[in-house]
Structure formats: C-alpha cells, structure tokens
Amino acid sequence: MTTELRKVAVLGGNRIPFARSNSAYAAASNQDMLTAALDGLVSRFALEGERLGEVVAGAVLKHSRDFNLTRETVMSTRLDAATPAYDIQQACGTGLQAALLVANKIALGQIDCGVAGGVDTTSDAPLAVGDDLRKLLIKLNNARSTGDRLKVLAGVRPGMIVPAIPRNEEPRTGLSMGEHQARTGARWGVTRAEQDELTARSHHNLAAAYERGFQADLVTPFLGLERDQNLRPDSSVEKLAKLKPVFGGPQGTMTAGNSTPLSDGAAAVLLASEEWAQERGLPVLAHLVTGETAAVDYVGGDEGLLMAPAYAVPRMLDRLGLTLQDFDIYEIHEAFASQVLSTLKAWEDAVFCQERLGRSAPLGAIDRSRLNVNGSSLAAGHPFAATGGRIVAAAAKELYERGGGRALISICAAGGQGVVAILESNGSN
Amino acid sequence: MPDTYTSLANSPIGKLITGQLGLPRPTILERYSPGDATISGQVLLGAAPGGRLAPAAATVLAGLSANVSTALRGDLRKAAADAGLDAAVFNGEVPGDARFKALVFDATGITDSTQLRELHAFFHPVVRRTQSCSRVVVLGTAPEDTGSPREAAAQRALEGFTRSLGKEIGQGGTVQLVYVAPGAEAFLGSTLRFLLSARSAYVSGQVVRINQGAATPPVVDVHRPLEGKVALVTGASRGIGAAIASVLARDGAHVVGLDIPPLAEDLEAVTSALGGSFLTADITTDDAPQSIALHLQEAHGGVDIVVHNAGITQDRTLARMKPERWERVLDINLSSEERINDELLSSGVLNTGARIVCVSSIAGIAGNNGQTNYGTSKAGVAGMVVAMAPVLAKQQVTINAVAPGFIETQMTAAVPIAIREAGRRMNSMSQGGLPVDVAEAIAWFAAPDSGGLNGNVVRVCGQSLLGA
C-alpha cells in the first residue's frame, strides 16, 4: 500500500516570553511553563476540548518525575484528555525534531493535526544525589531488617551529600559547549567584532519585531513577563565590546553578550493537514517541506561540536535540488554568535565544501540582511528545547506576512548534532 | 654535531650563564634523519592577491602531507581545496595560540612597489609565531621575467626583504626567495621540499631561480628521491665529500666515490659502508677524464649525478705565492672539472636528465685573504655553472653549484681560533655548518625532479655576513 504524501501546514505557534535563569520563572517547573505555552495555543486556535493527533515535546533538563512530561502537561491543559503525547529529547534540536516527527505523521496521513513543542528550565534544575549516595539509598531500600538498614546507613559519608548538578558540558570531552565553540570559532578565525555585530543586530531585530506587533500572536505573557527578559533593545557593538571574554581564555572572543544566556521558557507550534486547517478556516502560514538531521564526530574526529548543521543543510538542499541562495529568510539559531559565523564561513569556504562535504564548489554566501530578521536566541534567550518551536512559528509567520517565500531553519545541538528544515509559504493565497 | 660553545650555551647551566651575560645562544639546528616528515609543524600559506603560485605551492604541500593553514580568502581556499588540502583557517586578528613551522608566501601578485605592503601584511602578524628552526619561503617572479619596470623593481625588492628577515627571524630559522619563471610552476616541488625541511638547516638568505625544465618533473619518493641513480662524487674519502656520498646513498643513489690513489683506503671505507663502489684517479692527469668516463660506462652504463667536490687550498698572499701553488689549485678546483664535464658530455656517458653539481665557495664570492688562487678557482666554478647551464639544458642535463660558508671540517678546525670563531659566529645561525648541510643541498640539486634548477649557485653559509 502506498500513501500519497500530504502537505504539512504550519498554522501558528505560541510561547511564553523567555526568562533569564533564576529570575522571573525561578519557581516555575517545566510542566508549568509547557502548560502555559500549550494553553495559550489552545486559546489562540480555539482547541478547547479538541482531540489532537498528538502532542510531541521535550525538555533537555528534566526531573526524574517528569518522565512523561508532555502527556502530564496535556492533561493539565484544556485539550481533550484523549490527546496522546510523548516526550523526545535531542538537546537543542528537540523542538525542531518534534515538529518534524509530527509533520511526518501528518504527511503520511496517520494524523491530521498535532502540536510540537519544547520547554526548559535552568532555574528549577533537577539536582540529583551523587552516585555513591544513590547506590546506598537503593541498598537501603532493599535491606530487609533494621539491622541491615543500620549497617547500610553506617556507610553514609559527608561527601555523599553533595548533589550532582547538571552541567552544560559534553560528557565525552568534559568541555562546556562554549569552550567547544571557542575552539571552533578560533578555527574559523571568527573575530570579536563580527560576533558583537551579529549580536547587536539580533537584539535590534527582535526589538523591532516586538515594536511592530509581530510577536503579538506568537507570545503570551507569563508570570508578569511580557517580553523576553534578555532582550536589550539599546544593545550596541560598543556596549558589547566592553564585556570580558567568558570562553576561550583571556584572549577569547566569546562573551556573555555574544553567547546565549541560560534561560527558562516554553514554546509550541500547531501543525496540521491542509484539510484540517481548511475545515476550521485557519490560514496556512507556511508548509513544513522537509527536514534533515546530521551528526559530526567532535570527539575522535576533527570537527567542531556545533558544526553538524553545516553538513545537514547541504544534504537537504541536494535532496530538493536547491541552492543555499534559494531562500528568502534564514533562521540560524544563535547558540553563540560564533556558531552562526563559523557555519556561514564554512559554507563559503572552498576547502570545507570540497574536503568535508565533497562538493566541487562552495555553497557560497547568503544575503546577511535575510538572516534572523526577527532576532534569534542571542536576543530572545535559549531555553534549549523551546527554541525550535519559537523559530518554526516565527519563520512561518514572517513568510506569510511577506506574501510567500522560502525559509531555511538551522539548529545546532549538543552531542555534535544538527537539525535543519525548510518552510515554504504562498502567503495568504 | 654542534660546536663546543653551542653545546655549552644550550646546556642548563650554559643557558643560565648566557642569559645572565647576554651572550648569544646559537640554536641547535634541526637536521633531517631518514623517515622524518618533511615539515614537522603547521605551514601558513599566503599570497599577494593576483599571484600565480599558490595553487602550485598548495599542490606541493599536499604531496608532502603538510598541515597547512591559510587566511579565509577565496583564492587561497580554492587553491588549497583544488590541491586536496584540508587546510585550516588562520586569521591574524584572532591568532589564538597558533604557531607555525613554515611560512610560504606567493609574492608574484606584487606588480608595483606600493603593493610590497602585502609582505608586511602577511608576515607582521606571524613572524613572532614561528617555532624554532622555522622556514620562510617567499615566491616571486625573477625581475628579468616580469612585464614592466615597476614589477621588476618590486620583485627585486623581495630580495632585500628575505635577506633582512633572515637576520631577524632567529632561533635557527631560515628565509629564502625563490623566483619561479612563468610556466615553471610545476617545477617548484623539489625546491619547496628542500627549503621547508630540516635538510636546508644551514641555508638562509638565498635566492633560487626555477625555470622550465626539459621534461615534466617525475614524482619521487620523498624519502628516497635518488633511487636507482648512479652518482659520481669526487674527493669522497673524507670531509664534505664523504658526507655527500653518505647523503646521496641515503637518498637511494649508488655512489661511485673518487679520490686520489693515496687515499684509496679511506675511500673504500666510506663507499663500502654505503654499499657503493669507488675509483681512484688523479683528476689532474690528462687521461683521467677518459678513464673516469670509461669506468662509469663499463661498470654502470652511464652516470646520473656528478658531484665535483674535490678541491684543495694552497694559501699564500699573492706576493708570496709561487706559480705551482696557483696552478695546482686552479687545475684541481676548476680546470679538471671542465675537462671531466666535456669528456662525460662528448662520450655520451651522462645519462639523459643527468645532474652536475659543483662545489664553489664563499671565498669565491666574498674573497679571502691569502686565497687569490682558491677564490679565483671557486668564482670560476660559479662562472662555469652559469655559462654551462644553457649548453647542458639542450641535453636535458642541469648544472648547479653550492657555495659552502664556514663548515666544521678538519680544514676549518686547523684555522686559528680567533678567525675560526669569527667565521663561525658571523652568520645568522651564529654557528658553523656541518658537512651534511652541504651534502643535503647537493642532493636537492641532484634530485630527478630538480629539472627546473639550472645555473643556480646557492650558498650553504647560514647567511654569512661575508660576501652577502
């Protein structure tokens, strides 16, 4: 049995403003935030009591009690409790990968509509007991007699009380993501000035998006926050130039300004078949055309941790017979300004494209005025799993408002992975 | 082996003393051992915009499996990519902890003196980022091959740059200028291989000219480039001659050592250890050229490499010099070489693609007190090389010369200490060279892929102040 593939429509999204770590959302859990984002989406698209095909979401930092986070969240919303849900996790690629999973089921006709999302908190972080104490507690649980229990408890040492704090570092290298990117940036000769320039532009673009009301139907206020807390509308290259480097040593070029801060937030995006949208009179902002995921060997191999999108995009372009220049807007997630710039340099570089991608010519440069036109993570912040939903919804809306066009989405992720996708829109036609 | 002072100065206590007293501490020069990689560190490849040699240089570097960096500039990245180099990126604005073993700069794009600023732009950020015993090679177009007086002037200016940088770079670093004629790009290989490696430890401040050779340069095994070649080395029983025999054999050649009958025992010891053979002859006799030619023809079916190394000194000031001293030095050092060359050529014993390499001397360039005879003979050797080059080119044969400076041999060990120390220290390396340094330069000229080198006289003098 063969199935005609259906087009997958992006109908819109909703997120809560992103907060800086340990501030506005310090007391909110992942489930609280994801519920807020989903409920906002439900209100916006009148989905109260609807049974959706599925809700797929995830979080990078998760408590053990959150093993079924998305399903639990769905049951806290006004969606029909008969809406199935599951969690996924692919580091910062979680949100976009969730959208691809939902989209694939819609395309195959397995479901008609679904929500993809993500949430993360770095404030309500899941502290765990250390491994020694954990093993001891399991032993205690298994002990049968009081004597045995006392024997086990006698083994408790003060050092065991120190909790295991989740760290933003790669398990296989012990290096933080920032240190990894500092190396990649140095390898591509990325300067401080170009990073600060990209950062300032991200803030200005996001501020302008809020000013012109672009975010009005993308963001729902939460816990007193109406805009992303990290946004600095008056950011400038001069101000950014004053910050001290935080990665790459004293000579480093990466600062707290041109790197994304730890942040809290949640985002969700509504996907559906065209028929489903039509039945409800919902305009199709854009179609999610395809996606691609790549991974690089940043441990034993000779590639940067966050360079996987540089491989994923050309593979996807080749599949569709497109060139890098065939896009009206480019959404390249700004984990670090340096990551965006390294990726762009790689695509322009004959050596990278020939030696690493096996192409006869470089992919070439992009028109920088089309890059992250409504700002990106440097300005908005980056609650890891929430970023994909933020980008898909905003890019779809931007294309729709422009009367159509094509968008490239690129998101780098821990573990040397990268998730990329293409949106196309006919505008309001 | 380094001289006593150099060894002392590099010992832990010597370092302390030389540091405290501000005495020079000559770097112990890295030298090539069989199996070594040609370049032991990162190579930075750069070019003035519009240059024509970056692709050729990238190809050579790829062939050497070198680790290469370039600026993130379209032309350089394309050159690297086309050569199959997975070249790293270097941005002088954010240098990080980058260190380079070699800097290669294609200056052929410089066609006007105002563009010489490209030299500053490329070298300024990296000159202090070089490792010890670093290698700097500037590639240019010989003034006579340029298209305009301005380009000629600018290209001639490169010489002043490389020679000055050679004196600044320190720590055993060397700096050379290589003029590559338009169309001779494919002949860059052997020269870049030599100049970037530890084989050129004592060669600095030199200008090398590469022209289009007779035949497309063959691909050689960089560890045994002379495999299957027969090499005649005169004066092979000791000193520089023995070192030449040893290096040529190491590089794969069958060495036929030649020396005078009284030195037969030493000669046999040298050549038998190398798996070579030997021939005793007094090259000043009338029948020597014929008997040498005959031996090479009968025993080896011809000869591929001829190294005219045999030479003597008979020092006296001119006023006190008897005619015999004059005659003997001129005959051994110059006239006999001419006779042997003529015989080998006319008898057809020189194989196609043969290499003749002569040993001139810094005395023939700078002159030396008490050496009017020797200086005359060695300048004559340089003259012979230049004059014979076009003649030999017709038979696909090349002729070049090395001009040793102060080399640590029995001959220089006999020089009075004050003069010896002056000779030793008055160069960019602050030390004398070793016989092997001369031998390595000869092996470079002798290589099968050195067909683009013809009529060059290259000094092996550590960039001596004398005659510079």
Side-chain angles (χ1 to χ4, degrees):
Chain A
M1 186 190 83
T2 54
T3 311
E4 277 290 302
L5 287 188
R6 300 193 295 177
K7 287 179 110 178
V8 180
V10 181
L11 303 183
N14 182 59
R15 67 179 178 97
I16 56 174
F18 294 165
R20 290 175 67 93
S21 188
N22 290 311
S23 101
Y25 303 163
S29 69
N30 273 338
Q31 197 180 317
D32 296 340
M33 291 190 287
L34 188 57
T35 303
L38 267 179
D39 259 340
L41 192 74
V42 167
S43 306
R44 191 159 288 147
F45 293 93
L47 301 173
E48 291 88 352
E50 287 254 18
R51 179 176 67 82
L52 304 184
E54 68 183 17
V55 177
V56 182
V60 175
L61 292 175
K62 227 168 153 182
H63 292 269
S64 53
R65 65 169 183 265
D66 284 338
F67 67 96
N68 220 356
L69 173 67
T70 312
R71 173 65 184 147
E72 294 298 330
T73 303
V74 165
M75 290 200 285
S76 302
T77 66
R78 288 165 293 150
L79 284 171
D80 184 345
T83 299
Y86 64 95
D87 286 18
I88 67 157
Q89 200 271 85
Q90 196 174 34
C92 310
T94 302
L96 184 54
Q97 195 65 266
L100 292 174
L101 290 169
V102 173
N104 289 348
K105 283 194 186 174
I106 294 170
L108 286 168
Q110 295 173 358
I111 57 174
D112 291 317
C113 69
V115 172
V119 58
D120 254 296
T121 171
T122 50
S123 308
D124 183 29
L127 297 193
V129 295
D131 237 25
D132 292 346
L133 184 58
R134 187 176 60 80
K135 283 178 184 153
L136 188 137
L137 291 173
I138 290 171
K139 223 187 263 178
L140 184 68
N141 196 40
N142 293 339
R144 284 160 190 260
S145 69
T146 312
D148 285 348
R149 285 191 194 101
L150 284 174
K151 255 186 233 165
V152 173
L153 282 171
V156 176
R157 296 285 175 272
M160 290 180 175
I161 310 301
V162 180
I165 300 165
R167 276 174 296 185
N168 181 11
E169 76 179 20
E170 289 297 321
R172 283 168 193 278
T173 60
L175 288 176
S176 71
M177 192 174 273
E179 285 303 331
H180 267 288
Q181 182 53 41
R183 292 173 179 203
T184 306
R187 201 154 122 181
W188 285 101
V190 177
T191 65
R192 171 76 182 267
E194 51 186 340
Q195 291 175 63
D196 287 349
E197 206 181 294
L198 188 96
T199 306
R201 204 163 51 231
S202 185
H203 283 280
H204 297 160
N205 286 354
L206 181 62
Y210 274 108
E211 283 312 306
R212 71 171 206 267
F214 180 78
Q215 305 282 19
D217 59 357
L218 292 172
V219 178
T220 308
F222 184 61
L223 298 183
L225 219 52
E226 294 190 351
R227 289 186 176 191
D228 303 307
Q229 203 176 14
N230 190 57
L231 173 61
R232 304 265 181 285
D234 60 347
S235 173
S236 69
V237 172
E238 293 72 31
K239 282 181 187 169
L240 288 163
K242 288 183 188 140
L243 300 174
K244 284 201 180 73
V246 291
F247 300 115
Q251 299 303 311
T253 58
M254 293 169 62
T255 66
N258 60 38
S259 310
T260 48
L262 290 176
S263 23
D264 306 338
V269 54
L270 179 61
L271 305 168
S273 68
E274 297 208 288
E275 299 76 30
W276 193 90
Q278 218 165 7
E279 281 165 17
R280 281 157 187 76
L282 294 171
V284 174
L285 299 186
H287 293 105
L288 181 46
V289 177
T290 192
E292 179 92 25
T293 308
V296 296
D297 184 0
Y298 63 98
V299 183
D302 179 31
E303 193 47 88
L305 175 71
L306 302 180
M307 289 301 282
Y311 293 79
V313 165
R315 273 190 344 221
M316 180 170 67
L317 294 178
D318 287 351
R319 201 148 43 72
L320 271 67
L322 293 172
T323 73
L324 184 60
Q325 289 69 37
D326 291 339
F327 293 87
D328 300 282
I329 56 172
Y330 301 84
E331 281 286 349
I332 303 180
H333 158 53
E334 298 162 342
F336 304 91
S338 170
Q339 192 279 334
V340 178
L341 293 163
S342 298
T343 303
L344 294 178
K345 284 173 195 283
W347 287 336
E348 292 172 27
D349 182 26
V351 171
F352 181 85
C353 292
Q354 236 160 293
E355 301 300 313
R356 309 252 166 148
L357 301 180
R359 307 173 76 84
S360 55
L363 278 91
I366 65 164
D367 178 350
R368 293 286 181 99
S369 71
R370 300 179 178 188
L371 174 65
N372 299 343
V373 293
N374 294 311
S376 187
S377 304
L378 285 168
H382 170 43
F384 311 121
T387 290
R390 171 185 71 75
I391 291 177
V392 171
K397 184 179 173 191
E398 174 65 28
L399 289 179
Y400 183 77
E401 286 200 345
R402 285 169 176 241
R406 190 183 287 132
L408 176 68
I409 298 173
S410 161
I411 297 179
C412 59
Q417 307 201 85
V419 189
V420 303
I422 292 175
L423 298 183
E424 275 177 2
S425 172
N426 305 322
S428 47
N429 299 323
Chain B
M1 204 185 65
D3 61 87
T4 314
Y5 176 80
T6 302
S7 299
L8 266 178
N10 282 285
S11 68
I13 202 154
K15 276 184 183 168
L16 198 70
I17 295 168
T18 52
Q20 292 292 318
L21 299 179
L23 293 173
R25 188 189 305 149
T27 301
I28 295 179
L29 302 181
E30 290 170 11
R31 288 188 168 84
Y32 174 79
S33 303
D36 284 358
T38 303
I39 314 159
S40 60
Q42 199 75 18
V43 182
L44 181 65
L45 174 63
R52 63 186 161 86
L53 290 172
T59 303
V60 174
L61 291 167
L64 297 173
S65 306
N67 294 316
V68 178
S69 300
T70 76
L72 199 54
R73 210 177 73 195
D75 56 342
L76 290 169
R77 302 302 290 173
K78 184 169 190 323
D82 289 347
L85 276 176
D86 192 3
V89 171
F90 177 75
N91 180 351
E93 280 183 63
V94 275
D97 52 4
R99 288 281 179 282
F100 298 103
K101 190 68 180 179
L103 309 173
V104 178
F105 184 71
D106 170 20
T108 55
I110 296 175
T111 54
D112 184 284
S113 59
T114 57
Q115 295 163 358
L116 288 163
R117 66 171 66 94
E118 296 291 339
L119 290 170
H120 183 272
F122 176 78
F123 286 102
H124 172 74
V126 292
V127 71
R128 281 285 154 246
R129 296 191 161 272
T130 51
Q131 294 165 311
S132 74
C133 298
S134 61
R135 297 285 180 268
V136 174
V137 176
V138 174
L139 304 170
T141 306
E144 61 269 23
D145 292 329
T146 57
S148 72
R150 285 197 168 199
E151 185 182 358
Q155 290 295 317
R156 177 66 174 76
L158 300 176
E159 232 182 275
F161 176 79
T162 52
R163 290 197 205 276
S164 299
L165 186 57
K167 294 186 178 184
E168 272 184 21
I169 194 157
Q171 288 197 292
T174 67
V175 184
Q176 332 283 355
L177 173 60
V178 179
Y179 284 135
V180 183
E185 290 78 11
F187 293 84
L188 185 58
S190 74
T191 298
L192 214 46
R193 185 170 76 229
F194 172 67
L195 294 177
L196 292 179
S197 76
R199 295 171 194 251
S200 57
Y202 202 59
V203 178
S204 190
Q206 296 307 295
V207 180
V208 177
R209 281 177 159 76
I210 299 177
N211 289 295
Q212 209 166 348
T216 307
V219 175
V220 299
D221 172 356
V222 296
H223 295 294
R224 286 181 71 82
L226 305 181
E227 194 70 65
K229 302 292 177 187
V230 174
L232 172 72
V233 180
T234 70
S237 67
R238 55 188 176 184
I240 293 175
I244 296 167
S246 157
V247 166
L248 296 185
R250 179 202 69 194
D251 282 357
H254 173 88
V255 173
V256 182
L258 184 146
D259 221 316
I260 50 173
L263 293 173
E265 213 172 302
D266 290 351
L267 181 62
E268 188 182 1
V270 168
T271 55
S272 66
L274 301 172
S277 55
F278 72 99
L279 169 67
T280 55
D282 177 351
I283 54 173
T284 61
T285 60
D286 289 343
D287 62 348
Q290 285 85 352
S291 62
I292 292 168
L294 194 65
H295 174 85
L296 291 170
Q297 183 66 57
E298 288 182 346
H300 305 287
V303 66
D304 303 295
I305 298 160
V306 176
V307 182
H308 289 298
N309 164 70
I312 58 161
T313 55
Q314 299 266 289
D315 298 355
R316 283 290 186 279
T317 54
L318 185 59
R320 298 175 58 215
M321 190 183 292
K322 294 198 170 125
E324 300 81 56
R325 283 182 177 266
W326 179 274
E327 288 298 336
R328 202 162 157 66
V329 167
L330 264 296
D331 197 39
I332 292 176
N333 294 3
L334 177 58
S335 306
S336 72
E337 295 183 6
E338 294 178 309
R339 291 195 296 269
I340 292 170
N341 286 348
D342 287 349
E343 177 60 28
L344 292 176
L345 261 178
S346 62
S347 63
V349 173
L350 270 183
N351 292 334
T352 303
R355 309 271 178 253
I356 301 174
V357 190
C358 305
V359 179
S360 178
S361 167
I362 200 164
I365 295 165
N368 221 354
N369 189 355
Q371 293 195 321
T372 49
N373 52 356
Y374 186 76
T376 302
S377 72
K378 292 298 186 181
V381 168
M384 171 179 75
V385 162
V386 173
M388 286 297 286
V391 178
L392 292 167
K394 288 173 194 150
Q395 307 197 27
Q396 300 196 19
V397 173
T398 66
I399 183 166
N400 295 280
V402 297
F406 186 95
I407 304 297
E408 305 282 355
T409 61
Q410 284 179 1
M411 196 166 90
T412 52
V415 173
I417 184 159
I419 299 172
R420 189 168 73 225
E421 273 306 297
R424 231 177 221 160
R425 306 297 164 205
M426 284 167 66
N427 59 67
S428 296
M429 306 293 153
S430 302
Q431 60 194 292
L434 301 181
V436 69
D437 298 328
V438 179
E440 296 281 13
I442 287 170
W444 158 50
F445 282 132
D449 55 344
S450 285
L453 298 164
N454 197 9
N456 278 279
V457 179
V458 168
R459 295 163 49 157
V460 182
C461 65
Q463 199 181 22
S464 171
L465 295 179
L466 304 176

